[in-house]
Amino acid sequence: MGNSTSRLYSALAQTLSSSPPSLAEEYLEQPVDVQPLDPEELLKECEEVLHSRPPRLRRSFVFPPRDVPSQHHSIRVMQWNILAQALGEGKDSFVQCPLEALNWAERKYLILEEILMYRPDVLCLQEVDHYFDTFQPILTSLGYHSSFYPKPWSPCLDVEHNNGPDGCALFFNRDRFELVDSINIRLVAMMLKTNQVAIAQTLRCKESGRLFCVAVTHLKARSGWEVFRCAQGLDLLQNLQSITEGMGIPLLICGDFNAEPTEDVYRRFANSSLNLNSAYKLLSHDGQSEPPYTTWKIRPSGESCHTLDYIWYSQHAFSVDSVLVFPTEEEIGPNRLPSYNYPSDHLSLVCDFSFNDEPNRLL
């Protein structure tokens, strides 16, 4: 790591040294005073640290046709379950992934490199367990507003030498948007508070003056919990309905839903009165099918290839300008994910959205 590590953390040293000894108080958003970082310099540093690793997955954008070009700059949104460090090393049992490939000293650079490669305006992450010592200070210094909401009973806490609970994190470009309102949601299912959470923030676009609401969530995992997931999804929809009701505020909803498109929670989002559509359906020939996978891993129980991650958008208010394609099976490789050249078992989703000129049109 050598000089690269010292360069990166010299800009963050004051913040990290002044962090409270216990981060478990309320996990409220805290102001971070850090020196600005040059994203190009940080990207070069990532490449230097990772020079001994194989080439990273290279992906391209496709551009769905649209009738009328937008008069505004696109909003780039990234959705990504980055894999909690404690779970990757201690619980998830990726049998084809060498433990040294998950070493946080280098894996954090792989994550940062992916983010810097696409420079999202809005970044939605799940399984974040290094928020305060890595993502908050670094992304704040890159010009992002940062928010975090941990799971109440994070499985990371069961792992020895953990870095605290994992949770959802939401970041947005301060130069492009201003925060109007923010709410942390502990999802309810069957009248019970659950271990899954969401963040919903209403933003104002400085260029156009338009409002929109962005939400990030991570629903309950594992087979057998389909009814529970659906209840969580309905609770999230009801919360978002309350936030946007009467104001016509469009939505961007990102998350690891842990649900295939065949599950009821997916159908509830697709048929919601909020008029949502899934952006990644635009990769299909008919525009009606999700990709064959967003996560692909090998565990002791066997190979696991599923579509679980989505970016939903209000189709009356937004158009999709571009979608980042997924790597092929050959590009991912026989050992699947995570790997030496990709830091998570989930692939990132990246889309460019622009406001429609008729935002009140519902169909």
Side-chain angles (χ1 to χ4, degrees):
M1 301 281 289
N3 293 331
S4 295
T5 303
S6 62
R7 284 212 316 277
L8 171 61
Y9 284 97
S10 64
L12 308 178
Q14 182 177 355
T15 298
L16 299 179
S17 64
S18 62
S19 296
S22 173
L23 298 172
E25 298 172 0
E26 290 293 338
Y27 290 94
L28 296 175
E29 191 175 311
Q30 299 178 19
V32 178
D33 183 17
V34 295
Q35 299 177 19
L37 289 177
D38 182 339
E40 290 296 337
E41 287 297 315
L42 183 54
L43 185 58
K44 289 178 183 177
E45 186 175 331
C46 292
E47 293 170 352
E48 290 173 11
V49 172
L50 301 169
H51 74 277
S52 62
R53 293 203 173 205
R56 260 66 77 201
L57 299 173
R58 298 302 177 187
R59 302 161 63 186
S60 59
F61 285 91
V62 297
F63 303 90
R66 57 176 300 168
D67 298 331
V68 181
S70 173
Q71 302 301 311
H72 305 288
H73 291 106
S74 292
I75 299 170
R76 176 160 291 181
V77 178
M78 174 183 275
Q79 148 60 29
W80 197 15
N81 179 331
I82 62 172
L83 174 62
Q85 183 64 23
L87 300 183
E89 287 186 315
K91 274 182 170 281
D92 277 349
S93 301
F94 302 116
V95 295
Q96 295 295 99
C97 179
L99 192 59
E100 63 179 6
L102 298 173
N103 177 4
W104 182 245
E106 291 188 357
R107 195 173 82 86
K108 64 188 173 188
Y109 284 94
L110 275 176
I111 296 171
L112 290 170
E113 184 182 55
E114 179 88 351
I115 295 169
L116 290 165
M117 190 76 66
Y118 302 112
R119 308 282 174 87
D121 298 302
V122 175
L123 172 63
C124 295
L125 303 179
Q126 299 86 39
E127 291 198 23
V128 178
D129 63 345
H130 276 270
Y131 176 78
F132 290 101
D133 66 356
T134 301
F135 295 105
Q136 184 191 35
I138 292 176
L139 288 167
T140 298
S141 69
L142 290 171
Y144 288 89
H145 179 283
S146 306
S147 302
F148 176 65
Y149 192 26
K151 295 174 184 173
W153 313 301
S154 167
C156 292
L157 298 178
D158 296 332
V159 178
E160 190 176 4
H161 307 304
N162 67 76
N163 198 60
D166 74 300
C168 292
L170 197 160
F171 308 86
F172 66 82
N173 184 332
R174 294 194 305 267
D175 288 338
R176 295 205 60 190
F177 312 111
E178 59 181 346
L179 181 65
V180 175
D181 194 19
S182 182
I183 181 171
N184 289 346
I185 303 166
R186 185 172 173 185
L187 296 175
V188 172
M190 305 164 189
M191 296 187 293
L192 297 174
K193 292 182 178 180
T194 73
N195 195 35
Q196 281 65 47
V197 300
I199 304 171
Q201 295 188 336
T202 302
L203 308 180
R204 178 178 284 107
C205 179
K206 293 182 179 180
E207 177 192 14
S208 66
R210 291 191 182 179
L211 297 176
F212 66 98
C213 177
V214 59
V216 55
T217 194
H218 188 186
L219 302 188
K220 174 65 181 173
R222 303 190 187 283
S223 177
W225 291 86
E226 291 81 5
V227 174
F228 194 82
R229 272 193 292 276
C230 186
Q232 289 182 325
L234 288 174
D235 184 52
L236 178 58
L237 286 171
Q238 289 170 2
N239 274 279
L240 296 176
Q241 181 79 50
S242 299
I243 292 170
T244 61
E245 190 173 22
M247 299 183 66
I249 300 175
L251 284 157
L252 295 169
I253 308 168
C254 298
D256 175 358
F257 280 61
N258 276 307
E260 292 274 11
T262 53
E263 278 199 31
D264 196 30
V265 66
Y266 179 94
R267 289 191 290 269
R268 294 300 185 107
F269 270 73
N271 298 319
S272 165
S273 61
L274 294 170
N275 196 34
L276 301 172
N277 198 8
S278 174
Y280 264 75
K281 285 164 54 177
L282 294 175
L283 286 181
S284 64
H285 293 300
D286 60 2
Q288 299 300 315
S289 305
E290 293 289 351
Y293 50 82
T294 63
T295 178
W296 202 340
K297 67 204 86 175
I298 302 175
R299 285 179 166 150
S301 57
E303 198 149 353
S304 176
C305 179
H306 299 287
T307 299
L308 306 177
D309 307 89
Y310 307 96
I311 299 178
W312 297 93
Y313 67 101
S314 296
Q315 56 189 334
H316 63 282
F318 290 109
S319 293
V320 181
D321 296 332
S322 66
V323 180
L324 184 67
V325 300
F326 289 118
T328 65
E329 177 180 356
E330 291 73 25
E331 289 170 331
I332 291 174
N335 295 332
R336 309 313 184 201
L337 304 172
S339 63
Y340 278 110
N341 62 348
Y342 202 78
S344 177
D345 55 324
H346 289 251
L347 292 159
S348 64
L349 283 63
V350 183
C351 298
D352 291 330
F353 295 93
S354 58
F355 288 107
N356 290 330
D357 291 330
E358 301 178 67
N360 296 321
R361 178 173 51 85
L362 292 178
L363 294 175

